[in-house]
Amino acid sequence: MSTLTEAPPPLAPAPERKPPRRRGRLVPYWLLLPGILWLLVFFALPMVYQASTSVQTGSLEEGYQVTWHLATYWDALTEYWPQFLRSVLYAGCATVLCLILGYPLAYLIAFRAGRWRNVVLILVIAPFFTSFLIRTLAWKTILADGGPVVGALNSLGVLDVTNWLGLTAGDRVLATPLAVICGLTYNFLPFMILPLYASLERIDQRLHEAAGDLYATPFTTFRRVTFPLSMPGVVSGTLLTFIPASGDYVNADLLGSTDTRMIGNVIQTQFLRVLDYPTAAALSFILMAAILIMVTVYIRKAGTEDLV
Amino acid sequence: MMTQDAGGDVRLSGISKKYGSFTAVHPLDLTVPQGSFFALLGASGCGKTTTLRMIAGLEEPSSGSVSLGDHDVTALPPYKRPVNTVFQSYALFPHLDIYENVAFGLRRRGIKSVKKQVDTMLELVQLGEQARKKPHQLSGGQQQRVAVARALINHPKVLLLDEPLGALDLKLRRQMQLELKRIQTEVGITFIHVTHDQEEAMTMADTVAVMNGGRVEQLGSPADLYENPQSTFVANFLGTSNLIEAEVDTKTGDDIVLKAGGGKLTLPGARCSAPTVTGGKVLVGIRPEKIALVHADDAGEIPAGRNRITGRIADSSFIGVSTQYVIDSPVCPEFEVYAQNVDRDLRLVPGTEVVLHWSPAHTFGLDAAQSLLAGTTGDAGIQAVGEEAA
């Protein structure tokens, strides 16, 4: 570079001048390096390791060997498909409940909260200041047998409906599917609210005025303008809720029973108690593949790539 | 649909808007005749957009009522009013294509077969080819035309335009002004146009209401406002005016003779909006293009009966079609004169002593109690506007 400044070509417009800072072009790669290293060490390597584990056979005493025993996948699937199904079902219910509860709240924060907006947003995030485990344990108390919540649900006849749906059993809520779904909904609600809020908040308020000006009632304005424009938030919110919820095991563990075991519980047990590493790894991969397929189909159907 | 009932005038009676202790619009009475192109003109914050939004129903008036024809619509929400708005930012629906944007109003009113109307409307604004594009794929001018089409297709009683050309560059703006005027003539719908651009208001509108500080300063045809301003704000906001502080000397018949800086000026009594008493103060106004400029040596050639003042050329700028002079005169420190470049007198350079003269018929008189600078664009002018608003 110093030669360039010492001997500039006199009067030449220098059309073929070399890029003066070659190192500058590499800067983005240097900036990417820490992240790539992180992903390599903590994502790619464990994935390869797990993939290899899933096709090994052997025992803890004799050691494991890669034998390309793909039957583990089939065995895992045939044995644990009820837990897979249950996971998708519970996570799906929790996601729908999160959407139903979260959308009005996000809407209020984005359009009606005024100067209280930040306060309410902090309140949404506030539960994160407490441990996930403690919060879930608190639900054990909330839903305790004979407690005020269960009593109220019982006298309102809600339990009759949920009993009929098979979500609860008798006078109990704890240790039923409903308890697990409630726990999942509660724990993942902020992951629904925040993306919904972010995408609602971006909507130009003048579009609402324009819709009203063009004979749309407030409800039609919501249906034709606000909701379609908030689709990116709906999609990312449901994904951020559904994906972790379907792999969750804490809620089923603390609030459920042996009848509400989700696939996360199975994987946890296989890894930590049964010590059947190949089956645990195979289950993890099946779960991952299932989620990937469902998410791809969902995004295609939601058609959010059309939105600006 | 638009010409079904004859009484389609927009009538605002005693309408006002307060935000807390701030009054955006003072009680206002205004009638916009059906089929006219009406402009609300004023600087930002003068209440013109608030007035428009009250007509649209997007803002609830603090007092007064809005009527369309015989119907009082004050209590109706926007979606029940037969008016449509072209928003300043266009507010096109980003998730719908141009066709659906234009069809939006028709569909909301339950009209099923919209194709013919939408196609006709897109043809009117020359966007037939773009029907299936999304708004962000169009240029500013095209988006603006979509906004107009989307509103016009509903055949509103009144079309409200909120600074619709503000985001366009100068050339496109001129083109769209003519376009909007053409569309208005073609469809015959009442247009109420809000703008801060005096040239835009004057070229497009039949009637202009100049607003300042939440009040209508003056209402009239563009030519009337320009030739007979009733306040210093209007005199300065529409074009440029030279204002001279003068004292009433005598009244002779229809004319008023005034003393200013040792000389005498004549003002037709009919062109003076202020009360005049002998010895009282009056502001005398004259537009720069009405003034003739001669070298002091040729002062003898000026015909009798013309108002004249003396001065020295402080600055001159040649701009092709005319030359703009700034004259230092004892009666007015920065007197502006626009002289057509027909026969240029080459002696007229800065520093030259000159005589300015004009026909008394072009003089107008204003109340001297007002700020001389109201409506000008400099700092002092804005300050003066602020004072009036307060």
Side-chain angles (χ1 to χ4, degrees):
Chain A
M1 274 204 292
S2 58
T3 50
L4 264 176
T5 45
E6 276 164 22
L11 289 170
E16 285 178 275
R17 206 160 143 187
K18 282 176 194 158
R21 279 163 168 253
R22 269 196 147 171
R23 252 190 314 172
R25 291 196 300 176
L26 290 175
V27 166
Y29 298 101
W30 285 111
L31 290 172
L32 276 176
L33 198 63
I36 288 175
L37 276 178
W38 179 275
L39 281 176
L40 213 64
V41 174
F42 294 106
F43 179 71
L45 282 181
M47 286 281 281
V48 171
Y49 180 74
Q50 288 301 322
S52 126
T53 306
S54 72
V55 290
Q56 289 173 358
T57 46
S59 68
L60 209 55
E61 292 78 26
E62 296 157 17
Y64 288 98
Q65 296 291 321
V66 176
T67 54
W68 296 103
H69 189 260
L70 288 170
T72 313
Y73 279 84
W74 179 247
D75 295 342
L77 199 58
T78 45
E79 192 174 349
Y80 297 110
W81 69 264
Q83 281 85 350
F84 269 114
L85 201 66
R86 203 176 284 140
S87 289
V88 172
L89 207 68
Y90 289 2
C93 284
T95 306
V96 171
L97 279 175
C98 279
L99 189 62
I100 292 170
L101 294 171
Y103 202 104
L105 188 59
Y107 187 93
L108 284 178
I109 301 172
F111 298 129
R112 297 288 148 83
R115 62 205 176 92
W116 296 103
R117 181 186 279 196
N118 287 337
V119 176
V120 184
L121 274 178
I122 288 169
L123 287 178
V124 168
I125 309 165
F128 283 121
F129 293 118
T130 320
S131 147
F132 183 70
L133 218 56
I134 304 288
R135 281 182 282 134
T136 313
L137 275 171
W139 272 79
K140 237 178 153 142
T141 318
I142 295 171
L143 298 176
D145 296 345
V149 175
V150 175
L153 288 176
N154 209 352
S155 53
L156 284 169
V158 178
L159 287 189
D160 294 335
V161 181
T162 51
N163 277 340
W164 180 73
L165 286 169
L167 290 173
T168 50
D171 287 347
R172 294 201 74 190
V173 173
L174 209 59
T176 65
L178 183 66
V180 181
I181 293 171
C182 281
L184 287 172
T185 307
Y186 163 74
N187 276 312
F188 292 105
L189 191 57
F191 295 102
M192 179 65 87
I193 293 173
L194 293 178
L196 277 177
Y197 163 75
S199 108
L200 282 168
E201 194 259 348
R202 271 179 48 213
I203 298 176
D204 190 344
Q205 288 273 34
R206 282 168 296 197
L207 294 177
H208 296 167
E209 292 188 344
D213 189 66
L214 292 163
Y215 313 109
T217 59
F219 178 70
T220 317
T221 302
F222 175 77
R223 200 163 61 94
R224 296 286 177 184
V225 179
T226 316
F227 189 72
L229 285 174
S230 70
M231 271 313 277
V234 173
V235 170
S236 49
T238 47
L239 290 182
L240 281 178
T241 312
F242 181 79
I243 296 173
S246 56
D248 182 81
Y249 64 92
V250 174
N251 287 284
D253 209 27
L254 296 179
L255 304 172
S257 67
T258 45
D259 293 335
T260 63
R261 280 161 58 86
M262 292 168 70
I263 199 62
N265 303 89
V266 177
I267 296 173
Q268 185 217 14
T269 313
Q270 292 295 325
F271 260 121
L272 301 178
R273 295 212 197 113
V274 184
L275 305 178
D276 181 354
Y277 298 136
T279 305
L283 284 169
S284 305
F285 272 100
I286 296 170
L287 178 65
M288 201 167 73
I291 289 176
L292 266 176
I293 292 167
M294 283 187 282
V295 165
T296 313
V297 171
Y298 174 62
I299 291 179
R300 283 274 166 83
K301 284 257 190 263
T304 38
E305 68 274 1
D306 236 25
L307 292 168
V308 260
Chain B
M1 199 185 262
M2 59 219 169
T3 46
Q4 269 167 8
D5 51 343
D9 298 358
V10 180
R11 270 200 312 283
L12 310 180
S13 1
I15 200 166
S16 74
K17 182 67 189 178
K18 282 184 184 163
Y19 296 103
S21 59
F22 173 72
T23 307
V25 178
H26 291 277
L28 178 74
D29 291 300
L30 201 63
T31 302
V32 181
Q34 185 180 19
S36 65
F37 200 129
F38 191 92
L40 283 170
L41 173 67
S44 58
C46 73
K48 56 190 193 299
T49 297
T50 309
T51 308
L52 191 84
R53 288 170 62 84
M54 287 193 286
I55 302 172
L58 299 169
E59 212 77 66
E60 203 179 320
S62 308
S63 71
S65 69
V66 182
S67 305
L68 299 175
D70 302 326
H71 304 287
D72 186 336
V73 298
T74 319
L76 290 185
Y79 60 90
K80 287 190 180 160
R81 295 192 188 196
V83 299
N84 291 110
T85 311
V86 176
F87 291 86
Q88 184 170 12
S89 55
Y90 315 141
L92 301 179
F93 303 119
H95 59 301
L96 301 177
D97 62 19
I98 301 313
Y99 185 94
E100 284 304 321
N101 262 286
V102 174
F104 194 90
L106 294 181
R107 291 203 196 281
R108 298 293 82 76
R109 287 185 299 162
I111 297 164
K112 289 277 180 286
S113 49
V114 297
K115 188 168 186 339
K116 194 160 163 277
Q117 287 196 67
V118 174
D119 287 342
T120 315
M121 191 45 72
L122 285 175
E123 235 26 79
L124 179 74
V125 295
Q126 294 154 17
L127 282 172
E129 315 260 296
Q130 322 286 341
R132 289 299 165 196
K133 283 191 182 165
K134 289 284 172 72
H136 66 95
Q137 293 170 294
L138 302 189
S139 69
Q142 289 172 325
Q143 290 186 23
Q144 204 276 334
R145 297 210 293 270
V146 177
V148 172
R150 185 178 71 170
L152 269 183
I153 196 167
N154 305 295
H155 296 295
K157 284 223 173 88
V158 188
L159 185 74
L160 306 170
L161 302 111
D162 184 8
E163 302 253 10
L165 309 177
L168 305 179
D169 61 52
L170 190 68
K171 200 176 161 196
L172 200 52
R173 200 150 71 216
R174 295 278 170 270
Q175 198 183 321
M176 286 305 302
Q177 286 172 7
L178 298 175
E179 189 86 340
L180 278 177
K181 185 73 197 164
R182 172 183 75 82
I183 292 172
Q184 198 266 337
T185 319
E186 212 161 295
V187 297
I189 292 174
T190 313
F191 276 36
I192 301 181
H193 182 115
V194 157
T195 180
H196 65 272
D197 182 340
Q198 45 110 355
E199 210 176 311
E200 189 173 299
M202 296 217 278
T203 36
M204 294 166 80
D206 313 323
T207 312
V208 178
V210 182
M211 287 190 75
N212 180 29
R215 290 189 172 86
V216 171
E217 287 259 340
Q218 195 177 342
L219 184 127
S221 70
D224 183 43
L225 288 178
Y226 186 80
E227 301 296 351
N228 305 307
Q230 309 275 305
S231 68
T232 55
F233 181 85
V234 177
N236 290 323
F237 196 77
L238 287 178
T240 308
S241 293
N242 295 303
L243 297 173
I244 305 163
E245 279 180 327
E247 192 181 303
V248 178
D249 190 42
T250 49
K251 292 191 192 182
T252 54
D254 291 338
D255 291 342
I256 305 164
V257 178
L258 306 130
K259 284 191 293 193
K264 296 217 168 153
L265 299 170
T266 311
L267 167 68
R271 289 177 56 80
C272 184
S273 60
T276 48
V277 284
T278 309
K281 296 271 188 208
V282 167
L283 285 176
V284 175
I286 180 72
R287 295 286 186 184
E289 75 282 1
K290 308 267 198 276
I291 304 171
L293 183 69
V294 295
H295 195 277
D297 296 348
D298 302 336
E301 295 168 16
I302 300 169
R306 304 217 2 132
N307 283 332
R308 62 176 76 191
I309 60 170
T310 56
R312 185 173 354 100
I313 297 177
D315 193 13
S316 81
S317 41
F318 176 78
I319 55 162
V321 64
S322 64
T323 305
Q324 304 192 346
Y325 296 96
V326 178
I327 312 291
D328 248 342
S329 149
V331 295
C332 178
E334 284 191 345
F335 216 91
E336 290 203 50
V337 177
Y338 302 161
Q340 289 286 311
N341 287 327
V342 186
D343 297 306
R344 291 180 68 211
D345 186 343
L346 297 174
R347 293 173 299 168
L348 299 179
V349 292
T352 313
E353 295 291 336
V354 289
V355 179
L356 314 177
H357 61 98
W358 66 88
S359 159
H362 292 146
T363 319
F364 54 86
L366 301 172
D367 194 333
Q370 313 170 72
S371 161
L372 272 172
L373 296 169
T376 54
T377 43
D379 283 347
I382 285 163
Q383 204 179 346
V385 172
E387 279 163 19
E388 288 200 6

